[in-house]
Amino acid sequence: MSTVLLVEDEPHIRRFVRLALEGDGCEVYEAGGVREALRVASAHPPDMLVLDLGLPDGDGMELIRELRTWSDAPILILSARSMEADKVKVLDAGADDYLTKPFGIAELLARTRALLRRRAGRKQPSEPVYCFADIQVDRSRRIVTRAGEAVHLTPIEYRLLCHFIAHPGRVLTHRQLLREVWGPGQGEQGHYLRVYVGRLRHKLEIDPTRPAHTLTETGIGYRFEP
Ligand code: CA
């Protein structure tokens, strides 16, 4: 059974989300503020967190930064803030995904399951061959095929693809992708990223203008969906 730490100060939202998560087979711990959340998380390290950003004794951002010094449990943000800049800030701080309030409970459960699956996958020794749609990525031999045909990728395109498939379902910000794929100091070169994602789409997507796997998160970054 997966354990989820639910951090939310509004009692009716907390109850509603807890019941839904329990109905989905999760064990739920609760906290109503930053300090309580840190206490509960260290007493019962959760498999993931569902975190409201506006808390009475502090900002959820502080909690993310503090937690990320010792835990890599996925964090799904519930936020009343819908500004792109706010979303980028929490994702850059180490959150994995976000939902803007008001949200649908089916969407919350789907995102939660995706993050828990990713975490469960990470506990296994990672397989060198990764498959999605008709694409096969053999990371031990650096060979990518589509429907059995070899696909030629440049080293940057290949690194970008490997970074995407290492983080399925996760929203990756422009800054994170530039840092991981191009290296530190490339944080402002957003146009490189657009160009290379465009090339990957042409090589891997059935319809590059309506991608099914390399999705754009407008103003924020990209999300890889297997
Ligand atoms: Ca709140």
Side-chain angles (χ1 to χ4, degrees):
M1 187 186 276
S2 299
T3 56
V4 178
L5 172 55
L6 171 60
V7 188
E8 168 66 78
D9 60 316
E10 287 166 58
H12 63 285
I13 297 183
R14 194 155 124 186
R15 181 180 149 74
F16 167 69
V17 173
R18 175 170 59 81
L19 290 175
L21 289 170
E22 284 175 351
D24 220 27
C26 296
E27 184 178 3
V28 181
Y29 293 99
E30 295 178 43
V34 174
R35 277 192 297 276
E36 189 185 3
L38 287 169
R39 198 166 58 235
V40 176
S42 46
H44 310 278
D47 292 316
M48 74 168 279
L49 288 90
V50 176
L51 170 63
D52 173 38
L53 278 188
L55 295 165
D57 63 339
D59 192 299
M61 284 287 289
E62 294 165 36
L63 180 53
I64 298 170
R65 290 205 192 91
E66 179 71 31
L67 200 76
R68 277 289 172 260
T69 63
W70 60 270
S71 170
D72 65 350
I75 300 174
L76 172 62
I77 298 295
L78 304 179
S79 175
R81 306 167 197 177
S82 59
M83 300 291 288
E84 283 165 2
D86 290 320
K87 293 174 187 168
V88 169
K89 219 165 69 178
V90 294
L91 293 164
D92 274 340
D96 294 78
D97 200 357
Y98 62 85
L99 280 173
T100 304
K101 291 179 179 176
F103 53 84
I105 199 69
E107 180 79 25
L108 177 116
L109 293 176
R111 300 282 180 95
T112 302
R113 282 193 294 264
L115 290 174
L116 286 170
R117 264 201 309 277
R118 186 165 70 75
R119 179 163 176 83
R122 241 182 355 208
K123 286 178 186 163
Q124 315 295 331
S126 65
E127 289 291 326
V129 179
Y130 184 91
C131 300
F132 65 99
D134 60 351
I135 313 286
Q136 207 177 57
V137 185
D138 183 339
R139 288 170 288 183
S140 64
R141 298 189 299 156
R142 297 178 74 94
I143 292 173
V144 180
T145 59
R146 178 175 181 177
E149 300 281 316
V151 177
H152 176 73
L153 298 182
T154 67
I156 292 275
E157 290 163 3
Y158 180 77
R159 273 217 297 281
L160 184 58
L161 175 63
C162 287
H163 195 68
F164 275 139
I165 65 183
H167 302 95
R170 178 169 180 180
V171 180
L172 299 163
T173 66
H174 296 128
R175 185 181 297 272
Q176 287 168 340
L177 284 164
L178 286 163
R179 196 180 51 220
E180 297 301 324
V181 177
W182 278 268
Q186 300 296 328
E188 307 308 322
Q189 306 292 329
H191 58 282
Y192 286 171
L193 192 54
R194 269 196 305 281
V195 169
Y196 280 91
V197 170
R199 290 184 188 166
L200 264 190
R201 284 173 174 167
H202 275 277
K203 293 179 181 182
L204 303 178
E205 295 278 359
I206 290 173
D207 180 354
T209 62
R210 293 169 56 201
H213 306 291
T214 50
L215 309 181
T216 299
E217 294 280 331
T218 305
I220 295 169
Y222 297 92
R223 177 202 299 269
F224 172 71
E225 289 294 343

